[in-house]
Amino acid sequence: MSLAAYACDPARTRGRRHAETPAPTRTEYQRDRDRIVHSTAFRRLVYKTQVFLNHEGDLFRTRLTHSIEVAQLARSIARPLGLNEDLVEAIALAHDLGHTPFGHAGQDALNACMAAHGGFEHNLQSLRVVDALEERYPAFDGLNLCFETREGILKHCSRVNAQQLDEREPGGVGRRFLERTQPSVEAQLCNLADEIAYNAHDIDDGVRSGLITLEQVAQVPLFGRHCGEAQAEHPHLQGRRLLYEAIRRMLSAMVYDAIATTRERLQGAQPRDADHARALPPLVSFSDAARADAAALKNFLFHNLYRHPRVTETTDQAQEVVRELFACYVQRPGEMQAGFAARHDLQRAVADYIAGMTDRYALREHERLTGRRLLGASA
Ligand code: MG
């Protein structure tokens, strides 16, 4: 892999919190990616909601397949730009590890439960998973990942949380939110790849679910254009193959736009190294036209899919499950696994415990503790 000057170089990593001897054949970022793939939290992503609750169908994206698609897109963009593919893969595969069961409904409910105890935020939780909650090594908690991987995982952070992080780890991953600087180019890329991925796969899942139609999405300029071009080239194309051909063309266009725009910015800014790139304004970007296209698509999906009554009608029940689980465990910590029950920070332990659950485990636990079965899933 030939790396550009501004790419993160594993030989010059800011290192791990606990010193380790180098691996004989793998770079530090390859090791990070491998640790993430072998983690328990990574396997749980397969049963966590992306948009559709996990039990609603076998073919919808889950957090796991979403993360794999983000990694694929991020690597496709990283290579032609001379960025570090191993690092973007590690960040992409880990970026959603802190998500609660039931998607954003679960996170909102848990955040409300934790209002008086520091709140709950899924980006910070992803960092907690890799820093503290995974139990795999004899000498330390967490996966002991490199600074650059952890920096990319912490995509957003409030000022209050950043201050706390910076007190515990001076000059660490919280610092950039206080100094208002950018993360590495690889981390910036993963954010954009995340957006490209969900804009595309949510069209697919949305149409598959029957909640939106191909004709409806074709009203959105970005998708309509690619759908029209696909039909012009293949006049008999229809249904699922037309949907996939249009999504494929749209994905390619967004990827190529991101590569061309970012390349132009990199050539203009001439970052000397990864730290210089961090000090510059954002370098990874769509063009203005593609940004407007993506925003219009996002807006369409928000109003027609994410806010569709069939999606939101599950929200109330999902939040009830999380709220009642939280109340039960705070009252009876012994109902949690021993390691969580023994912790002194009771509310945070309960939040960590619930956040780690898959959708179906949360429903099973809820039924066990309350005798009520919500969301109609046979657990
Ligand atoms: Mg994501």
Side-chain angles (χ1 to χ4, degrees):
M1 184 188 313
S2 106
L3 290 179
Y6 47 76
C8 286
D9 179 353
R12 298 172 61 196
T13 173
R14 279 193 217 173
R16 304 176 187 278
R17 295 197 299 169
H18 307 275
E20 294 187 54
T21 45
T25 56
R26 292 174 300 161
T27 69
E28 296 306 319
Y29 302 147
Q30 283 178 291
R31 282 175 107 181
D32 279 7
R33 177 202 54 211
D34 299 347
R35 287 176 187 202
I36 291 157
V37 168
H38 287 280
S39 70
T40 307
F42 186 70
R43 282 194 299 284
R44 288 191 180 124
L45 294 178
V46 71
Y47 291 118
K48 288 197 180 201
T49 290
Q50 180 69 22
V51 171
F52 293 92
L53 293 188
N54 181 245
H55 62 262
E56 288 185 308
D58 289 346
L59 297 178
F60 296 127
R61 266 67 177 187
T62 68
R63 293 253 170 234
L64 180 68
T65 51
H66 162 72
S67 301
I68 293 170
E69 290 181 31
V70 174
Q72 181 275 314
L73 289 163
R75 281 177 23 237
S76 293
I77 300 172
R79 188 180 294 195
L81 293 173
L83 294 170
N84 195 304
E85 273 184 83
D86 297 325
L87 178 59
V88 299
E89 193 177 11
I91 295 170
L93 293 178
H95 86 283
D96 274 350
L97 288 180
H99 267 285
T100 61
F102 315 122
H104 284 280
Q107 124 123 7
D108 291 348
L110 199 51
N111 188 31
C113 293
M114 289 295 287
H117 311 280
F120 179 89
E121 207 282 313
H122 68 83
N123 281 293
L124 199 58
Q125 191 69 12
S126 295
L127 188 68
R128 270 179 75 67
V129 167
V130 300
D131 278 358
L133 296 177
E134 281 287 324
E135 298 178 311
R136 309 191 78 83
Y137 291 89
F140 46 76
D141 289 334
L143 302 177
N144 197 31
L145 303 180
C146 293
F147 172 88
E148 295 77 17
T149 309
R150 299 172 59 239
E151 171 194 42
I153 290 171
L154 192 63
K155 176 163 137 183
H156 303 294
C157 189
S158 70
R159 206 175 161 79
V160 176
N161 286 334
Q163 264 155 354
Q164 285 174 1
L165 278 176
D166 203 60
E167 274 162 32
R168 288 202 299 273
E169 185 192 354
V173 290
R175 182 61 62 90
R176 76 178 171 92
F177 298 97
L178 303 174
E179 292 176 347
R180 298 184 176 282
T181 53
Q182 301 303 314
S184 71
V185 187
E186 282 84 353
Q188 295 179 39
L189 168 54
C190 288
N191 291 346
L192 196 70
D194 191 15
E195 187 182 336
I196 297 174
Y198 62 66
N199 274 339
H201 66 48
D202 288 351
I203 294 177
D204 181 13
D205 283 355
V207 172
R208 179 186 301 281
S209 70
L211 300 188
I212 54 177
T213 63
L214 183 60
E215 292 69 32
Q216 241 181 315
V217 201
Q219 303 296 311
V220 182
L222 173 64
F223 187 81
R225 215 162 48 233
H226 294 292
C227 197
E229 284 170 16
Q231 279 174 311
E233 254 179 71
H234 307 280
H236 301 296
L237 203 57
Q238 53 179 339
R240 191 150 296 285
R241 281 183 196 248
L242 174 59
L243 174 70
Y244 287 144
E245 181 57 22
I247 290 176
R248 176 172 23 253
R249 285 166 186 246
M250 187 184 85
L251 269 176
S252 297
M254 291 171 103
V255 163
Y256 295 141
D257 182 274
I259 292 170
T261 309
T262 304
R263 182 174 278 146
E264 206 172 290
R265 286 192 179 198
L266 287 164
Q267 278 163 0
Q270 293 286 322
R272 289 183 301 278
D273 54 29
D275 274 336
H276 186 205
R278 287 182 174 94
L280 295 166
L283 291 162
V284 177
S285 176
F286 284 135
S287 64
D288 290 345
R291 164 68 42 215
D293 272 345
L297 174 56
K298 208 171 174 168
N299 192 43
F300 168 86
L301 289 170
F302 182 82
H303 290 288
N304 296 280
L305 185 60
Y306 310 144
R307 288 283 171 267
H308 191 287
R310 222 190 82 199
V311 173
T312 55
E313 78 190 8
T314 60
T315 301
D316 292 348
Q317 289 190 48
Q319 297 197 332
E320 200 176 335
V321 170
V322 169
R323 270 198 310 272
E324 293 187 352
L325 282 176
F326 190 88
C328 281
Y329 293 132
V330 167
Q331 227 168 33
R332 292 179 278 154
E335 297 288 354
M336 295 189 289
Q337 283 169 16
F340 291 88
R343 273 169 52 180
H344 295 295
D345 51 347
L346 176 60
Q347 281 80 8
R348 183 58 62 190
V350 171
D352 287 339
Y353 191 55
I354 294 174
M357 291 180 181
T358 60
D359 292 14
R360 59 187 197 168
Y361 185 73
L363 291 175
R364 253 188 336 245
E365 272 293 275
H366 181 263
E367 190 178 356
R368 181 179 76 83
L369 293 165
T370 67
R372 288 161 55 235
R373 178 178 292 193
L374 289 183
L375 286 166
S378 51

